Amino acid sequence: MKQSTQGSAGPGTPQRRTGGGRVPAQARVADVLDAVRERGAALPAARGEHTHGERPVPGPRSAVQRSSVRGQILDALRTALVTGELKPGEVHSAPVLGERFGVSATPVREAMQQLALEGAVEVVPNRGFRVVERGARELAELAEVRALIEVPVMLRLARTVPGERWAELRPLAEETVRAAADGCPATYAECDRAFHRALLALSGNDQLVGVAADLHRRSQWPPVRHGRAYLVADAAEHMALLDALIAGDVDVVRGLVTGHFAGVG
């Protein structure tokens, strides 16, 4: 439950499995980049360029495909932030990153602009985007804002949501335990966000869930604590919190959620 170091998360299952085994984070990132390259190669046709006798692709499909490429680039960049591959203070240009991903500069630039909105990078005129250097004070401020939002909501839900509803979230908590054992910060960050998102979703307030998720993502970089022991302890708090919620023990819930945010930073 602590603010651990992720990438990217996107909606859905927080990690992919093959043949019942876990896929290493490096392989997952490589899969994303392979998919980006494949789509990048198809982009000219999607923009309406076609050979003689070939029907042009309709505009709406082009927009969807371009959005998909941008989304994959955004996921890859978020993962690189969480793992520390993109280091604070570094400046990256869209054309150079585009060559690295095998796509044009446009989807990279659009993904970087989204990261700028999220506070992860800042625009450097005529050069590209600089990864923001975030200090302990800013991380502590993020923790404080998260506490103001999440603590009262969790205490209210602990009093009103029946235990069987909380029990449905156990697979997500167990997923954080497995991710912590693997020791990959990017995978753990995805699972951590998925667990928190599911907890807050029981409030029925989509705006609250969205704001909390954005703050949570911002708090996961730069990576400051990557140790396996830290991740394992963090995941254990998830299990303890869920057990307290299922049991309806509001006092234990209060101690866990307030203690977590007080100890961050």
Side-chain angles (χ1 to χ4, degrees), residues 2 18 54 94 99 136 164 171 205 210 233 264:
K2 294 185 179 67
T18 302
E54 185 180 11
E99 290 180 5
E164 57 267 25
N205 187 329
V264 170

Side-chain angles (χ1 to χ4, degrees), residues 28-255:
R28 292 168 52 256
V29 174
D31 288 345
V32 170
L33 298 184
D34 286 343
V36 169
R37 294 187 185 100
E38 290 174 4
R39 289 184 177 273
L43 279 178
R47 287 195 295 266
E49 299 173 10
H50 54 284
T51 59
H52 180 70
E54 185 180 11
R55 295 180 61 186
V57 179
R61 181 175 177 179
S62 173
V64 170
Q65 191 168 29
R66 175 175 171 181
S67 176
S68 177
V69 174
R70 181 176 65 246
Q72 291 176 71
I73 294 293
L74 182 58
D75 287 343
L77 291 174
R78 283 172 171 164
T79 296
L81 283 169
V82 173
T83 59
E85 185 179 353
L86 293 182
K87 296 177 175 57
E90 291 181 343
V91 177
H92 299 273
S93 71
V96 171
L97 287 175
E99 290 180 5
R100 172 181 170 183
F101 292 147
V103 300
S104 71
T106 299
V108 177
R109 187 174 294 109
E110 292 172 346
M112 281 295 208
Q113 288 169 345
Q114 175 60 38
L115 289 177
L117 292 175
E118 297 175 5
V121 301
E122 57 188 6
V123 178
V124 180
N126 301 320
R127 292 185 62 192
F129 301 85
R130 177 185 291 113
V131 180
V132 171
E133 298 188 60
R134 180 172 286 165
R137 176 174 178 176
E138 186 173 356
L139 291 173
E141 290 173 348
L142 284 169
E144 181 179 7
V145 177
R146 285 190 65 200
L148 291 172
I149 294 175
E150 295 192 38
V151 171
V153 172
M154 288 305 305
L155 293 177
R156 174 170 61 83
L157 294 177
R159 298 185 181 96
T160 58
V161 176
E164 57 267 25
R165 292 295 305 281
W166 295 117
E168 295 172 359
L169 305 185
R170 189 172 293 280
L172 290 175
E174 293 172 343
E175 195 69 19
T176 67
V177 173
R178 286 189 287 269
D182 284 350
C184 174
T187 299
Y188 186 81
E190 291 181 19
C191 296
D192 186 35
R193 288 198 310 275
F195 178 71
H196 277 263
R197 186 167 55 247
L199 292 176
L200 296 176
L202 291 179
S203 69
N205 187 329
D206 292 340
Q207 297 300 317
L208 180 148
V209 173
V211 170
D214 178 64
L215 290 169
H216 194 169
R217 185 186 294 279
R218 291 173 184 239
S219 71
Q220 291 180 321
W221 58 267
V224 291
R225 285 173 288 195
H226 276 176
R228 185 188 303 269
Y230 170 80
L231 299 182
V232 169
D234 194 57
E237 285 194 8
H238 289 160
M239 297 299 296
L241 174 61
L242 195 58
D243 287 342
L245 289 167
I246 293 172
D249 194 331
V250 178
D251 289 337
V252 173
V253 172
R254 179 184 293 106

